[in-house]
Amino acid sequence: MRLAVLFFLSLAPLGQAGSSEYFVPSHRVAGIGAARKGLSDDLLDVRTDRMIQTQTFSIMRDPQAVAGARRITGSASLQALFRSAAARTGLPQSLLEAIAYLESWGDARAESPAGPRGIMQISEGTARIMGLRVVHARRYRTTRERVLVKRRGRKPVYRTVRHRTPYYVTVRDDRLSPSRAIPAAARYLAGLEEKFGGRDWAIFAYHCGEGCVAAMQDITRRADGIPKNKMSVARMFFSCSPAWNRELYEAVQQQMERDYSPTYWFRVKRAEQLLAMYRTDRSAFLELAQEYRSQFSTEQRAPHRLSVWLKRADLLYRTPGDLRDATGTTLAKALLRPEYFNYSLHTDGRDSIAAQDLSDQPYFLQASPSALGALTYIAFATRRLFDELNPKGEHWVPLEVSSLVEPQEYIQRIRSDSGDSEALAHSSGQVFDIDYANLPRGELESLRFVLSDLGWDGYIGFVSEGVQNLHIGCAPSERDFFTSVFREATGGDSNDVGGDQRTGISQRPHVGELQDRPLPAASFAAHHSDR
């Protein structure tokens, strides 16, 4: 019942937070952007559950996801080791399996370029703390070289010189032995749990390091709105903001840019669920793995969530004529009131939204209602956070939209030589680009924070395109919601809104329904691919 009630929190009024000077939607996502401040326990639970579900992308996009699940669950010897280690430490077997799954895909010989090795991916320094032996021996490599000694008359005299060059080999490495590494890692995690006062902090420390977590806990204790008796990794993550708890925000940002470790606990929780799915419903697991394959990228791993969400069947518009025919049905006109909707259309200059034939340009100023709703919502949430941040000496600048829908014929003729790998997605009408080159510093920070926040909850995906452009689209599961936002912005005018003309509350699932319908994750740093 509590979760069903929380679903409707997204429709609660803003009260004094809004401004009549610009569009404030009644269809909203609770706890996003400026609304993060003072998250209730119930809302924190909802955000945490959604965040766990969105980790599906970072796990299932890897081609090793299926083989790893088979290795972890199908090996009798590994299962015995996990079972024994869990019994000795009191940690759940599923937790130890999930860490091994994420760290190495169950490969006992796995080796990271950064140095960690083995099924539990243990660094050499941590191995010694765990009591594991890593022994190196010095060996010598002998080489011979002819050296000129002197000349006798005109005839040179040489002699052969031998050189002994030392090198080191590993003669014993317990990290590569699951029978030693798994129990040691379990004991280490149990010790971290006791040291840091929580299993979530212990998991965080396994990835980030003890010094890192000690520092993050200290900053979290000083943060506003976090009761001392309720400190958790989830509260730390969702309580930071550039507008308040600035110190915590910058600390989390730094760790995210380093190795995404603040999201590690969420990934481990999702890995536990996915391994349970593999055991109980293997066909559903395999279907999920197939769902997270990109139909466009030739890379082994899908580079970002938009490459997974969009399918070839979504590329509907081949010619400018297709755009004309879709006007008012599957495509809608963009909103042209920058001061009210907080975004403008870039229609001047070399990189403007423009068709080769100027008579076609009005049809390029369209997108699907869901894409326009996502754009409208992002502009609202960014403006609201910017006002909360109130950066000194800065004034709000409407977000500059540099691209909406484009037909394939135009893309192939005009944009194919630019190396723009995301351009073809515009023929779906589901994505749009924002040029952030001219945004004030505080506004750009607010935009990136809002995008990341919506992304972590699975509402949108985004990726940098070039040095000043963001390529953005909403999740297929959230198109109804963003379409509702757009209908609200247009007053439900059937001349402007394509597709289904129903109004009212969109039927978005609550968290209980998300367990079997996971959502991909978004990246905290827009210019990086997802962790």
Side-chain angles (χ1 to χ4, degrees), residues 58 133 170 388 452:
S58 62
R133 295 187 64 190
T170 301
E388 186 82 21
S452 296

Side-chain angles (χ1 to χ4, degrees), residues 220-439:
T220 304
R221 287 188 190 96
R222 297 197 296 269
D224 292 335
I226 302 180
K228 300 299 185 289
N229 63 339
K230 291 185 177 180
M231 277 182 39
S232 66
V233 170
R235 280 191 181 276
M236 174 201 74
F237 189 84
F238 289 119
S239 295
C240 70
S241 165
W244 61 88
N245 284 337
R246 180 83 190 190
E247 182 186 22
L248 181 59
Y249 163 73
E250 291 179 348
V252 171
Q253 176 89 333
Q254 181 182 20
Q255 296 306 323
M256 291 294 290
E257 290 176 352
R258 182 171 74 98
D259 61 3
Y260 292 85
S261 57
T263 65
Y264 187 65
W265 175 77
F266 302 98
R267 284 200 301 281
V268 169
K269 298 301 291 183
R270 185 56 181 151
E272 287 185 85
Q273 296 173 358
L274 290 171
L275 288 175
M277 179 192 294
Y278 185 81
R279 282 189 168 98
T280 59
D281 192 346
R282 191 163 302 180
S283 62
F285 183 94
L286 296 175
E287 184 179 340
L288 191 62
Q290 188 59 39
E291 180 184 336
Y292 281 83
R293 296 288 175 266
S294 172
Q295 294 185 0
F296 303 98
S297 175
T298 57
E299 301 176 30
Q300 280 197 316
R301 299 198 316 169
H304 51 78
R305 57 229 160 271
L306 292 179
S307 70
V308 167
W309 287 344
L310 289 176
K311 308 300 182 183
R312 293 194 181 278
D314 294 320
L315 307 183
L316 299 172
Y317 311 109
R318 301 192 60 83
T319 68
D322 292 338
L323 302 187
R324 288 192 294 272
D325 294 342
T327 299
T329 55
T330 55
L331 294 177
K333 302 173 186 176
L335 304 170
L336 302 178
R337 293 175 59 191
E339 301 80 9
Y340 186 65
F341 292 111
N342 290 308
Y343 72 83
S344 63
L345 303 183
H346 192 172
T347 56
D348 298 312
R350 181 174 57 86
D351 297 322
S352 64
I353 301 176
Q356 190 175 32
D357 185 341
L358 291 180
S359 65
D360 290 330
Q361 186 178 31
Y363 304 108
F364 283 61
L365 305 182
Q366 302 182 105
S368 67
S370 56
L372 293 175
L375 169 60
T376 305
Y377 195 91
I378 289 166
F380 150 72
T382 303
R383 174 66 183 271
R384 187 181 175 203
L385 182 59
F386 175 83
D387 289 347
E388 186 82 21
L389 184 62
N390 192 23
K392 186 176 180 180
E394 293 186 15
H395 300 282
W396 173 260
V397 176
L399 301 179
E400 195 167 85
V401 180
S402 55
S403 183
L404 290 166
V405 69
E406 295 176 0
Q408 292 182 47
E409 177 185 289
Y410 173 87
I411 293 168
Q412 291 165 352
R413 186 172 64 247
I414 305 299
R415 299 180 66 173
S416 60
D417 295 335
S418 66
D420 182 356
S421 60
E422 300 300 324
L424 196 61
H426 286 278
S427 65
S428 69
Q430 297 294 342
V431 299
F432 54 91
D433 292 351
I434 290 178
D435 185 336
Y436 58 84
N438 298 318
L439 292 184

